[in-house]
Amino acid sequence: MFRKMVACAAAALALVPVVSTPAYASPADLYPAQVLQLTNSNRVQNGCKPLTADPQLAVAAQAHNDEMAQYRYFSHTGRKGENPAARITDAGYRWAQWAENIAAGQRTPTAVVDAWMHSPVHRANILDCSLREIGIGYSLDSAKKAYWTQDFGTPRT
């Protein structure tokens, strides 16, 4: 009787589809989506539509973020003198309007969005209802200090 139960259980398990999930998702994989969700929550609470993630803005944000982390500096101006508009354009985004928020040192998405919301200039970017899309970068430097970038845009029509 026991052998029949084991055989039936094994047959039943063979019919269950196997779903592969990564054993570990790094903060770099999870944090940008969490920053987007928190940013959009603040926008909706303040009467703006949610932002849509844009891959070209994400490339611009992540590249700037990686550079700041690699060379351990903090600025809207890149090491070669480029400004956010140039980086966003170089990433292929055709913009009518853009804005950028950067931060360093905050360990979590909640902490960085909270810091931006308590800074008048950064808050104004997040709550600018005319901005429609976003790319988010997250990086760690060699000392494990976090760097964050939000590149916002409204596409040219």
Side-chain angles (χ1 to χ4, degrees), residues 91-123:
Y93 189 82
R94 294 175 39 92
W95 54 270
Q97 181 181 356
W98 64 269
E100 182 175 77
N101 286 347
I102 59 174
Q106 296 81 2
R107 294 181 181 267
T108 66
T110 300
V112 74
V113 173
D114 186 59
W116 282 327
M117 290 302 291
H118 284 91
S119 162
V121 173
H122 297 101
R123 178 184 177 91

Side-chain angles (χ1 to χ4, degrees), residues 125-148:
N125 287 340
I126 289 171
L127 300 182
D128 183 340
C129 295
S130 66
L131 293 166
R132 299 198 325 234
E133 299 175 331
I134 190 170
I136 299 163
Y138 168 78
S139 306
L140 294 174
D141 69 14
S142 59
K144 303 297 184 210
K145 178 180 178 180
Y147 291 79
W148 308 84

